[in-house]
Amino acid sequence: MKIFVYHTPELTPSDTIPECAIAVDVLRATSTMATVLAAGGEAVQVFSDLNQLIEVSENWPAEKRLRAGERGGGKVAGFDLGNSPLDCTEEVVEGRRLFISTTNGTRALQRIQDAPIVLTAALINREAVVKFLLEKQPETVWIVGSGWEGTFSLEDTVCAGAIAHSLCQQFNASLEELAGNDEMISAIALYSQWQNDLLGLLHKASHGQRLLRLECYEDLKYCSQTDILDILPIQQEPGVLKSYHK
């Protein structure tokens, strides 16, 4: 297994696809997706275009759908939800499909949707991702951070490092054996430094600060936790994610 870390979707190679690709948007899209599926949501369907989201979701009965829209950290007017995982309780999401469009996370998923296996990862479901990779042992794995509008983000890279770090330990393999690129080694270094204060790191991150200005402190607290959900969102068809079952 070779693990490649890419800080943003734009940095991924355009002439190849991996056996397994993992989209990461810790603040907050992939944290929200895992939370929705853990709370009994039927599926999560992602869109980069808000109008397309409305059009497609119109085909679903109103009681079976939820529209979630976020731009610049804030909720899109007229949508049921923004991008806060804390709003995705069982009472709200159970049995419903979440149609979601966010500033960064949906773009990362669209970039990798042609890979044979597509997963989403956050800190909260890190170990579920690691378990899957150990079980399937794909030859090439891309962990793709969503970043913020094309730029590097600390929280997505630290999550990539958390996954790679756990894999190295459980695979009983050296860094050299698993590292597909230098970014993977730097992601592990970032995680190793901050693993005992991930909330502190999220507070320092530019998007963390953006969310703090929007008074989303509890979101940061929730998203900074590791391994609290044993759930793995996996793509069933392009843009549609469901909970993985063996």
Side-chain angles (χ1 to χ4, degrees):
M1 193 191 304
K2 285 284 183 191
I3 302 162
F4 298 79
V5 170
Y6 297 102
H7 299 311
T8 66
E10 292 79 6
L11 291 170
T12 57
S14 54
D15 57 350
T16 180
I17 54 168
E19 197 179 329
C20 175
I22 304 167
V24 178
D25 187 2
V26 171
L27 295 175
R28 296 163 286 174
T30 56
S31 297
T32 297
M33 289 170 194
T35 303
V36 165
L37 294 176
E42 180 265 333
V44 175
Q45 190 161 351
V46 300
F47 297 84
S48 53
D49 182 79
L50 291 168
N51 293 327
Q52 194 194 7
L53 183 158
I54 291 167
E55 200 181 307
V56 173
S57 61
E58 278 298 330
N59 299 321
W60 286 73
E63 70 278 5
K64 288 287 183 189
R65 70 171 186 236
L66 283 166
R67 291 168 174 158
E70 170 266 320
R71 289 293 181 269
K75 176 174 171 268
V76 175
F79 277 59
D80 302 308
L81 300 168
N83 189 20
S84 172
L86 300 180
D87 293 336
C88 302
T89 60
E90 207 171 296
E91 299 77 51
V92 174
V93 306
E94 192 170 19
R96 292 171 145 193
R97 177 170 292 209
L98 186 80
F99 296 86
I100 186 169
S101 180
T102 70
T103 307
N104 305 294
T106 45
R107 201 173 69 244
L109 266 167
Q110 286 189 317
R111 170 64 194 93
I112 61 174
Q113 69 181 16
D114 293 333
I117 301 169
V118 175
L119 313 171
T120 67
L123 290 165
I124 58 174
N125 72 325
R126 184 265 310 253
E127 206 49 44
V129 175
V130 171
K131 270 196 289 197
F132 178 90
L133 294 174
L134 290 169
E135 178 199 320
K136 299 290 181 190
Q137 302 213 8
E139 212 165 292
T140 49
V141 178
W142 289 3
I143 307 176
V144 182
S146 298
W148 176 265
E149 296 182 346
T151 59
F152 172 94
S153 68
L154 282 168
E155 67 276 6
D156 293 343
T157 299
V158 84
C159 181
I163 294 166
H165 181 268
S166 182
L167 274 171
C168 281
Q169 286 188 324
Q170 296 189 50
F171 217 76
N172 210 10
S174 68
L175 266 182
E176 293 77 12
E177 286 172 83
L178 285 181
N181 61 1
D182 286 0
E183 289 91 328
M184 186 269 219
I185 294 168
S186 72
I188 289 179
L190 180 68
Y191 174 71
S192 298
Q193 184 173 345
W194 286 94
Q195 59 184 315
N196 297 320
D197 186 19
L198 290 168
L199 180 58
L201 180 68
L202 266 52
H203 274 243
K204 288 182 176 16
S206 57
H207 191 40
Q209 290 178 23
R210 198 175 287 112
L211 291 173
L212 288 171
R213 287 194 291 275
L214 294 167
E215 299 185 353
C216 297
Y217 175 76
E218 293 301 324
D219 277 17
L220 260 67
K221 209 165 156 185
Y222 177 79
C223 294
S224 70
Q225 301 173 95
T226 43
D227 310 333
I228 59 165
L229 295 182
D230 187 20
I231 204 93
L232 182 63
I234 187 166
Q235 182 173 264
Q236 300 288 322
E237 58 186 90
V240 178
L241 297 136
K242 294 196 174 190
S243 185
Y244 170 71
H245 298 289
K246 284 186 190 178

